[in-house]
């Protein structure tokens, strides 16, 4: 019988009840007394000088309460980048100010230059349309190669060549890597594009600013993955509101995938407007605004080379990447293409020498930042594509070339040539599991059946690793991080023995309310129903860095477990007093404190009650109450890994690709709730298939976003994907956190795109189209057809 | 402004609306029924699906005034009389057919409409019927599984995890 509760059980989600009955409370569902409505006037040009913005006529329109423009925010700070990345020649990172509202210039289509506040949304919209602007259009900088080549055309006037940084990792290894290439028996070279994506959480961004003139307190309701960081950025960098005067609440949030990690100008604008008019100001994005202004993802152009022995042994790897950061630096935009991408370029392999060069480039497009996987999908895609290409060039089987180069279990802890220390893993085990689950032995038979239907069948593999829960803080601080990367939790035992857990993680689909309760309940030996998980409100939670990068359980979960352990330790002291025994003789198990070797015991509830009604209590040596907080700073990253296989059927007449099967064998360390873990993998793979087959963000030469709605941006729908086979039984528990967990949220999106593209190329190769060695994503029918016929 | 009356989840209700008020706005702002979500502005995402006279309709595509007098059912009206989850809702919970919950109201309403029309759909029919509903979280696996389970069909062959 599988467990039905506690750690490792597929407990059904408690949060589902409110979502399934229409009682979720998302930001757009919140209405405040005397609320007003905001609408943002946004640039229709990609690049223009602002000569004049005349709001007089608009301000006189019915219902309009206030209009603010960039001019009103010049005294405020900019929204900063969270990671400092110097260039390899030592030059400082270029950090242009990112204002609340555009000032001086507009730099991408959708760049907001005014906020209009009115009694109704329609009035605000009508007034926004009546604002008179005098803009001088400037040439749009869209293409990265052109941006770098043309120093006269600048997104930010002070930044020559539009380069934010030119980073080398690890610069000291560069000569050795080049030397290895110079004498390598075989070198494989590939140029590829990692297509730009729009995250598309289904809930559009929304914010409500609420200033209380009586107390001087500000409250912000917003669609955020990490409310504390938003508060910190608004307080310390952008608006200067003292942190104690600002509460940020992220209620139910409808998906994030990275796009809601960051602080956006709209949040500061609604707060400032609320203060100005002394009424709440509510803004809800329309989907078209989401397309134009949510931070986009990926957008790398990469040249990668792999040096090998003729037998397929990897000798060295080097890459040159141009990473688009868009018009302004979003909060994690500088970390994503560097420390979340360059440091992963060794993958799960023994490659002894690796060098990575990344140029970050400003363009007149929406800011680009972390999107599910963040840098690691880009690294994995580059590596796994070139491994396949090298295998084809050398005539080596795709499983064998991987097996030959994968790190073996005896090599851990393993220091990679790009500076990470992988604590533990067993990449052979997940590969073997994949071969079994995906019935790779039966592929030829299935290929023959496809052939009989006139279809080409292909098999694509991907063996990958990622790094989650960025840490430790002092180390990432040396590498340029400007924040700490710990997390926090308070475990409050109420007088009646029920538990409130305040966690710094934020759930926007991950099911924390259920899983965190499973863990706490098991550890304390009490019912899950007695545990409440509180998140998303800076006034209730000690602190938190939020949820992204698959970090919630590994970091915030560890803080929670440590706080629970503190509760147990204090409980033992109380129980020792109550039981008239030595503290060292008290054991805690199954919700009972007992004296070792006797049947004397007090229940958890009795001890909790005594802590709050301390009549029989060691008051001389112990404070009453049972409420503990822990801040946890991880000793290292965690390293989930896995092996994925995709089978496709290609119709050579039309280029149409159908995914026949998708199989995942993952190592996430210990698994707390298998149902939820599987769901995370399904969702990640669904997004990965979207990137590989459907999604593309296209700006034209004038910087107009051509894919700005669901009519033009192809989201994966139910018919585009198969049932997935997923497994996470091959687990090697993380060695340095109390739960032994690694994180599972991004895995699917990291491991799947190369498996899909490898499968399509494999199908064409097997079908005799030997000239097709690579197709850029999305592998749409027209691209496949052109490749076949090209 | 005119007063528009209709029957929502079995109760006669009315709210003041402008000519341009969409049914989604009427439900959300007029009646405070915020279970119906708005996820796009091009009638593509399906987060807003409700039933109008028994048919699944994207409530962002019709004016409230045009359905005056109609019988409307929203996600708030899908539970059983005793407050327990209805069959489709329960299947979504049992099979983890939702994550962030934003697409969920539309998914449940579309799925319920499918099962009313076609009580034993095939996997392909479920996927086809739901093509107007976007979910970014689940990769659709558990949604399709939940709908097949709600139809009473054997789902043992579908990969469990
Ligand atoms: S809100 Fe109606 S289809 Fe998207
Ligand atoms: S559950 Fe989040 S969009 Fe479907």
């Amino acid at each position: 019988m599988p467990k039905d509760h506690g750690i490792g059980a597929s407990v059904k989600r408690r949060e589902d009840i409110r979502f399934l009955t229409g009682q979720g409370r998302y930001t757009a569902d919140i209405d405040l007394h005397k609320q007003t409505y905001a609408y943002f006037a946004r640039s229709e040009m990609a690049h223009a000088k602002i000569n004049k913005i005349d709001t007089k006529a608009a301000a006189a329109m019915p219902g309009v309460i206030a209009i603010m423009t960039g001019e009103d925010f010049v005294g405020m700070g900019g929204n900063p980048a969270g990671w400092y990345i110097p260039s390899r020649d030592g030059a400082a990172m270029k950090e242009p100010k990112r204002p609340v509202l555009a000032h001086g210039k507009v730099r991408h289509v959708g760049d907001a230059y005014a906020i209009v506040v009115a009694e109704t949304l329609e009035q605000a919209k009508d007034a926004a349309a009546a604002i008179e602007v005098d803009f001088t259009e400037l040439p749009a900088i869209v293409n990265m190669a052109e941006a770098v080549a043309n120093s006269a055309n600048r997104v930010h006037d002070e930044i020559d060549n539009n380069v934010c940084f030119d980073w080398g990792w690890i610069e000291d290894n560069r000569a050795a890597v080049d030397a290895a290439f110079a004498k390598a028996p075989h070198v494989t070279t590939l140029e590829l594009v990692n297509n730009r994506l729009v995250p598309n959480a289904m809930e559009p961004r929304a914010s409500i600013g609420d200033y209380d003139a009586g107390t001087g307190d500000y409250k912000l309701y917003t669609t955020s993955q990490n409310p504390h960081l938003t508060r910190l950025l608004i307080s310390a960098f952008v608006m200067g509101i003292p942190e104690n005067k600002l509460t940020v609440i992220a209620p139910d949030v409808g998906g994030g995938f990275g796009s809601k990690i960051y602080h956006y100008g709209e949040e500061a604008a609604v707060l400032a407007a609320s203060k100005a008019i002394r009424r709440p100001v509510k803004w809800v994005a329309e989907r078209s605004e989401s397309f134009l202004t949510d931070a986009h993802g990926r957008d790398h152009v990469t040249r990668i080379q792999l040096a090998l022995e003729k037998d397929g042994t990897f000798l060295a790897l080097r890459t040159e990447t141009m990473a688009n950061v868009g018009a302004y630096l979003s909060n994690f935009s500088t970390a994503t293409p560097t420390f979340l991408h360059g440091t992963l370029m060794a993958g799960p392999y023994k490659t002894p020498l690796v060098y990575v060069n990344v140029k970050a480039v400003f363009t007149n497009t929406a800011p680009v930042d972390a999107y599910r996987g963040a840098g690691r999908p880009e690294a994995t895609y580059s590596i796994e594509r070139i491994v396949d290409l090298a295998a084809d060039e050398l005539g080596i089987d795709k499983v064998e070339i991987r097996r030959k180069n994968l790190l073996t279990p005896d090599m851990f802890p393993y220091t990679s040539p790009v500076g990470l220390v992988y604590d533990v893993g067993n990449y052979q085990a997940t590969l073997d599991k994949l071969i079994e689950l995906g019935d790779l032995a039966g592929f030829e038979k299935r290929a023959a059946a496809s052939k009989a239907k006139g279809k080409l069948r292909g098999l694509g593999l991907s063996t990958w690793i990622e790094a989650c829960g960025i840490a430790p803080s002092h180390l990432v601080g040396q590498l340029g991080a400007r924040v700490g990367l710990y997390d926090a939790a308070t475990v409050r035992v109420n007088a009646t023995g029920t538990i409130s857990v305040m966690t710094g993680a934020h759930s926007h689909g991950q099911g924390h309310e259920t899983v965190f309760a499973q863990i706490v309940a098991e550890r304390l030996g009490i019912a899950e129903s007695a545990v409440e998980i509180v998140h998303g409100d800076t006034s209730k939670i000690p602190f938190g860095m939020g949820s992204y990068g698959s970090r919630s359980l590994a970091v915030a979960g560890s803080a929670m477990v440590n706080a629970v352990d503190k509760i147990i330790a204090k409980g033992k002291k109380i129980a020792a007093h109550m039981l008239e025994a030595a503290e060292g003789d008290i054991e805690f198990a199954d919700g009972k404190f007992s004296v070792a070797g006797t049947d004397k015991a007090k229940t958890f509830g009795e001890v909790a009650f005594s802590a709050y009604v301390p009549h029989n209590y060691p008051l001389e040596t112990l404070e009453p109450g049972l409420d503990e907080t822990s801040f946890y700073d991880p000793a290292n990253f965690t390293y989930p890994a896995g092996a994925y296989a995709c089978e496709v059927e290609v119709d050579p007449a039309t280029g149409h690709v159908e995914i026949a099967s998708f199989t995942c064998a993952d190592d996430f360390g210990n698994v707390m709730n298998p149902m939820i873990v599987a769901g995370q993998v399904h969702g990640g793979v669904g997004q990965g298939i979207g990137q590989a087959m459907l999604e593309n963000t296209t700006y034209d030469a004038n910087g107009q976003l051509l894919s700005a709605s669901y009519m033009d941006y192809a989201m994966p729908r139910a018919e585009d994907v198969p049932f997935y086979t997923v497994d996470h039984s091959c687990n090697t528990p993380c060695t340095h956190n109390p739960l032994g967990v690694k994180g599972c949220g991004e895995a699917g999106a990291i491991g799947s795109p190369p498996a899909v593209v490898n499968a399509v190329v494999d199908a064409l190769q097997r079908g005799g189209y030997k000239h097709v060695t690579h197709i850029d994503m999305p592998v749409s029918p027209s691209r496949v057809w052109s490749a076949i016929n090209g | 402004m005119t007063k528009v009356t209709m029957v929502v989840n079995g109760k006669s209700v009315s709210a003041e609306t402008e000519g341009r008020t969409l049914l989604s706005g009427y439900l959300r702002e007029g009646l405070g029924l915020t279970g119906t979500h708005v996820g796009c502005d091009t009638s593509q995402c399906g987060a807003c699906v409700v039933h109008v006279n028994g048919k699944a309709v994207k409530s962002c595509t019709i004016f409230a005034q045009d359905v005056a007098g109609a019988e409307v059912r929203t996600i708030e009206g899908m539970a059983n009389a005793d407050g327990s989850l209805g069959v489709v809702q329960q299947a979504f919970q049992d099979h983890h057919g939702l994550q962030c919950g934003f697409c969920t109201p539309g998914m449940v309403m579309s799925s319920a409409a499918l099962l009313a029309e076609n009580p034993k759909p095939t996997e392909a029919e479920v996927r086809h019927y739901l093509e107007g509903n976007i979910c970014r979280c689940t990769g659709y696996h558990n949604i399709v599984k939940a709908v097949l389970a709600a139809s009473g069909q054997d789902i043992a062959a579908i990969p469990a995890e």
Side-chain angles (χ1 to χ4, degrees), chain A residues 308-433:
Chain A
L308 310 92
E309 297 283 9
K310 292 279 184 218
D311 71 355
T313 304
F314 301 166
L315 298 171
L317 181 137
R318 65 186 173 196
T319 69
E320 280 168 39
T321 288
M322 276 203 281
N324 200 336
V325 290
Y328 303 99
L329 295 180
S330 176
N331 301 137
F332 284 2
S333 61
T334 53
T336 301
T338 53
F339 285 99
L340 296 174
H341 165 249
T343 54
L344 271 297
M345 286 307 299
Y349 302 115
K350 291 181 271 194
T351 322
L353 290 160
V354 177
Y355 176 75
V356 180
N357 171 233
V358 178
K359 269 196 195 73
V361 182
F362 290 104
T363 57
N364 292 119
T365 63
V368 180
D369 207 326
Y371 163 62
R372 198 172 197 167
R376 291 150 291 170
E378 295 89 316
T380 302
Y381 181 68
S382 298
I383 298 169
E384 290 305 293
R385 277 299 298 131
I386 201 157
V387 166
D388 260 33
L389 184 58
D392 278 338
E393 288 179 357
L394 292 171
I396 302 174
D397 177 77
K398 310 277 172 50
V399 172
E400 286 325 306
I401 197 168
R402 288 179 167 84
R403 200 184 286 286
K404 184 184 220 36
N405 289 286
L406 286 174
L407 292 165
T408 49
D410 55 304
M411 295 173 80
F412 297 97
Y414 172 76
T415 303
S416 87
V418 270
L420 296 181
V421 182
Y422 305 169
D423 63 336
V424 67
N426 186 344
Y427 308 148
Q428 284 72 21
T430 40
L431 181 58
D432 288 339
K433 189 66 168 182

Side-chain angles (χ1 to χ4, degrees), chain A residues 50 53 68-75 99-104 112-115:
Chain A
I50 301 174
I53 298 173
M68 298 168 92
T69 67
E71 203 64 49
D72 296 298
F73 292 88
V74 279
V100 175
L101 293 174
H103 186 251
Y113 56 82
I115 175 174

